[in-house]
Structure formats: structure tokens, C-alpha cells
Amino acid sequence: MGAGVITADALKFEAADAAVNLTGANVVNKIDGAAKGLIFKNNANLTVGGETGLVTAAGGADIEVTAGNLTIGTHGMTNAAGALKLKASGTLALDANAKVNSTGTADTSFEANAVNIGAGAKVKTTGGKINVKTDELSLPSGETGVLSSANGAVTIETKSAGKTMSVAVSGSPAADIALASLDFIDSGTGAVQLGNADTGNIEIGATPVNAPLSVTSRDTIKVTGAVTNTNNKDISFTGNTVNFDVGSSLAAGSGKTKIVADKVQLENGTFSGTGIFAVQKKTAGNFDVGGGSTFLSDASIGKLAAGNFSNVAIGAKDNAG
């Protein structure tokens, strides 16, 4: 099997002890069944697990729709420890109550222009990483544990450069990926990563930190609400500008807070914590602090001094300046 083309309404695999590799421009509507491992490409809309479910073992699964939408049906997918990759050129959707479960430490990734997760649908891996890369993310309202990694990292990132993100922010215009909260993520001790080096502006409203949190943007990260860290996790913000707006606050607990940016604007926020607060330049080279510095002004330093941190560290030894 390989690059040959299959055209069919439905395929049911009976290959629990064999790997299946179908990488041609297949035109299949539905797949179910079992395989030790599965690589499958489809050139039309595809539903996986709509009839009886799809089971993969140590070889995992790599399923890509090159022209159309990929839907995980109500019977869902069960996987072992092999990596699980789902990708679509259009929308990747989980029907209501669909489950994508990996019983081993399988890394699980979704990539599509839009990802829609229906009510009661869940994605779970036992210690593997979960990555969702998209420009639109629709989640079931108020549900928790939608993405559950059992102590593996969970990343929500934009697919296209410049797309924006927000957490716990209302109002218009909404960000491209607007998250009501981070409660849909259950990463245990695993880190939560928001954005990437190509993501546009990110705004963070009132947010409790339940796992190590890393926020990354190519542009501005703006905090507009109260960020609370009663679980004492590490927090990092990386962008060209990091701005704590009027009315914002960070109660960092004993966790380490790290900001990497060329402009750090803290003068309008309130800060407290007993751990380390580190600030360093994103762009290597000489920099000034204090006074009216655009990197870190007197007013910003004063806010950190009032926060009673065990240490405020400015700069980094690997900065070439």
C-alpha cells in the first residue's frame, strides 16, 4: 500500500497487527476499524470514527485531509502510545461527545484553519503533549478538561502569522482565537503555552494560573485583568512589548515570573510575590533602565520594588550588549 488512490464511500480497516499506509489522493467519505498504525491522506471531506470508531496501536495515526474538512465522529478514536496527528486544509471538528483518547504517552496534534470541538467532546493523552494549531477555535461553553494531558504540555497557537489571541476578554473586536478562560485545559503539572513567535497581539484578562504558563507573541502582550497564581507556578511573557494596563495585577506567589521584551510597561499594574521577577531584553544589545527608559522605566521599577519579590533580576548574561 502507498500512493495508489482509493475512491469509496467507506473504509473499515481490519489490520490490528499491521501498519496501513495510504498516501495517495484518496477520495473516501468515512473510515473506521483498527490498525497497528495508520498514515492516511484524503482529498475530500472525511469522517473518522463515525460508524464504529477507529483504534490505532503503537504506530499511532497520521491523518490529513488535503482538500476539505476532517470530522471525528461520535464513536471517536482510541490510540495507544504512538503519535497522533490530525490535519485538515479546512475545518477539523469533533462531533458532540466524540472522544480522542490515547492510553499511552502519545503526543497529539490538531492543525487546521479552524478547530471546532462539540459539547461533551474530549481529547486525552496519558502524559503526552497536546498541540492545537489553528486560526479559529470553538470550544464547548463552560466545560472543563476538554484537553487533558495528564502532566504533558498543552499548546494553543495560531496557524497564520499575525493572528491574535485573548483570554477572558470581552468586547469588540474579538481576537481571532478568543478563549473565555483556560479552564478547558487540564495539563496537571504540564505547561500551558499560548501563541508562538509569529502570533500577533495577545490580551490576557482575569486569569487564574493552574499550571506553568508561557505566553508568546511577535507583537504586544497586554494584561488587562488580575492574574492570580495561588499554585505558585512559573509564568513567562515573551513579545516585543509587554504591557500591564490600568487596573491589571499579578499576584505571582512564589513562582518565577519572567518577561522577555524590548518594551516592558509595568507602571499601571500592581505586582506582588515572594519569588523571582526577571526582566530581560528580547533584542540583544545595549539598553538603559530607569528614568524614562522605554525598556524599563523608573515607574516600572518602583512597581516591582513595592511587590516584595525575593529578587528582581534585570538583563541576562547572554545579552550581547
Side-chain angles (χ1 to χ4, degrees), residues 16 48 110 149 153 162 173 262:
V48 177
F110 290 2
S149 66
D262 289 331

Side-chain angles (χ1 to χ4, degrees), residues 1 60 100 150 157 190 198 208 211 216 237 240-241 250 266 270-271 279 285:
M1 292 181 286
V100 177
E157 61 178 323
D198 291 321
T216 303
F237 301 101
N240 282 347
T241 299
L250 171 62
L266 308 179
T270 302
F271 303 88
V279 181

Side-chain angles (χ1 to χ4, degrees), residues 71-141:
T71 300
I72 308 303
T74 54
H75 293 277
M77 299 180 64
T78 301
N79 181 51
L84 182 58
K85 300 178 182 179
L86 303 177
K87 185 176 182 180
S89 65
T91 297
L92 198 166
L94 271 66
D95 281 346
N97 299 311
K99 304 294 190 291
V100 177
N101 289 335
S102 291
T103 57
T105 56
D107 290 344
T108 302
S109 65
F110 290 2
E111 182 176 347
N113 286 339
V115 173
N116 297 334
I117 300 179
K122 306 289 184 186
V123 179
K124 183 178 180 180
T125 181
T126 309
K129 297 187 289 289
I130 297 176
N131 183 279
V132 178
K133 190 172 188 177
T134 185
D135 290 335
E136 299 178 26
L137 179 58
S138 176
L139 296 162
S141 178

Side-chain angles (χ1 to χ4, degrees), residues 2 25 44 46 85-86 99 132 148 167 176 197 208 221 223 253 257 261 273 282 291 308:
L46 177 68
K85 300 178 182 179
L86 303 177
K99 304 294 190 291
V132 178
S148 178
V167 180
D176 296 300
I221 298 171
V223 179
T257 302
K282 181 181 180 185
N308 294 317

Side-chain angles (χ1 to χ4, degrees), residues 23-268:
T23 58
N26 301 299
V27 180
V28 176
N29 295 327
K30 296 174 286 188
I31 61 173
D32 292 271
K36 183 177 181 180
L38 175 63
I39 300 175
F40 189 83
K41 288 190 177 182
N42 207 57
N43 200 37
N45 294 340
L46 177 68
T47 297
V48 177
E51 302 295 328
T52 60
L54 179 67
V55 178
T56 52
D62 184 344
I63 300 173
E64 179 179 359
V65 173
T66 57
N69 303 324
L70 173 59
T71 300
I72 308 303
T74 54
H75 293 277
M77 299 180 64
T78 301
N79 181 51
L84 182 58
K85 300 178 182 179
L86 303 177
K87 185 176 182 180
S89 65
T91 297
L92 198 166
L94 271 66
D95 281 346
N97 299 311
K99 304 294 190 291
V100 177
N101 289 335
S102 291
T103 57
T105 56
D107 290 344
T108 302
S109 65
F110 290 2
E111 182 176 347
N113 286 339
V115 173
N116 297 334
I117 300 179
K122 306 289 184 186
V123 179
K124 183 178 180 180
T125 181
T126 309
K129 297 187 289 289
I130 297 176
N131 183 279
V132 178
K133 190 172 188 177
T134 185
D135 290 335
E136 299 178 26
L137 179 58
S138 176
L139 296 162
S141 178
E143 293 191 19
T144 60
V146 177
L147 304 181
S148 178
S149 66
N151 303 328
V154 175
T155 299
I156 310 295
E157 61 178 323
T158 53
K159 183 173 182 286
S160 300
K163 292 292 185 177
T164 59
M165 299 181 69
S166 68
V167 180
V169 175
S170 59
S172 181
D176 296 300
I177 298 178
L179 306 174
S181 73
L182 297 180
D183 292 345
F184 71 97
I185 298 173
D186 180 7
S187 64
T189 59
V192 174
Q193 164 76 48
L194 301 179
N196 58 38
D198 291 321
T199 299
N201 295 333
I202 300 177
E203 184 174 350
I204 308 294
T207 301
V209 176
N210 297 315
L213 176 64
S214 178
V215 183
T216 303
S217 165
R218 74 172 191 189
D219 297 322
T220 296
I221 298 171
K222 181 168 69 171
V223 179
T224 55
V227 177
T228 53
N229 187 17
T230 58
N231 293 299
N232 303 311
K233 304 298 183 180
D234 291 347
I235 301 171
S236 69
F237 301 101
T238 302
N240 282 347
T241 299
V242 174
N243 173 28
F244 277 75
D245 213 349
V246 174
S248 67
S249 62
L250 171 62
S254 61
K256 179 179 180 179
T257 302
K258 182 179 180 180
I259 295 178
V260 181
D262 289 331
K263 294 182 179 180
V264 181
Q265 300 168 337
L266 308 179
E267 58 268 22
N268 292 315

